[in-house]
Amino acid sequence: MAGIIADGVVKMLLAAAFIIGAARLGHLLGVSAWLMVISGVALLIGGGIEIRYVRSRPLPTYTRLMVAYDGGWVLAALAGLLTAWRGSSAGGEVWIGYQTAAPIVLAALLVTATPV
């Protein structure tokens, strides 16, 4: 359970960084500040739900969802890097887009999962 809580806390810390540093981080990643804020809010929701349901959802459910989330994160990061390496300015958008959608999907799946 400690790992699940830590994962949720990391999402929430990343959310705070995205929201607080939206303009600067957005500039570095080539995305607009508003997208950074929306992504931060999505991460905040995802991390909060992850922590909230830690005692009421089966650990195997969490394990599967966290593996899928992190696997998607790696693929999104690689796709973003490859896009940037090929000269496109959309690499940051690919990565931030994943950071916006995936936590909401994770949260929805946890909320609808069968309780323990």
Side-chain angles (χ1 to χ4, degrees), residues 7-47:
D7 192 70
V9 169
V10 166
K11 282 182 181 70
M12 294 175 86
L13 290 172
L14 188 59
F18 279 17
I19 293 168
I20 293 167
R24 182 163 168 76
L25 288 172
H27 177 73
L28 290 171
L29 293 169
V31 299
S32 60
W34 66 265
L35 184 56
M36 294 299 298
V37 171
I38 290 172
S39 184
V41 170
L43 281 162
L44 193 62
I45 291 167

Side-chain angles (χ1 to χ4, degrees), residues 46-92:
I49 298 266
E50 195 171 348
I51 292 168
R52 183 182 187 289
Y53 285 93
V54 72
R55 293 190 191 275
S56 65
R57 297 299 184 259
L59 291 178
T61 298
Y62 266 100
T63 302
R64 284 191 304 274
L65 290 175
M66 289 170 63
V67 166
Y69 182 95
D70 291 346
W73 189 92
V74 169
L75 292 175
L78 290 173
L81 286 171
L82 181 60
T83 302
W85 180 68
R86 298 197 72 187
S88 174
S89 62

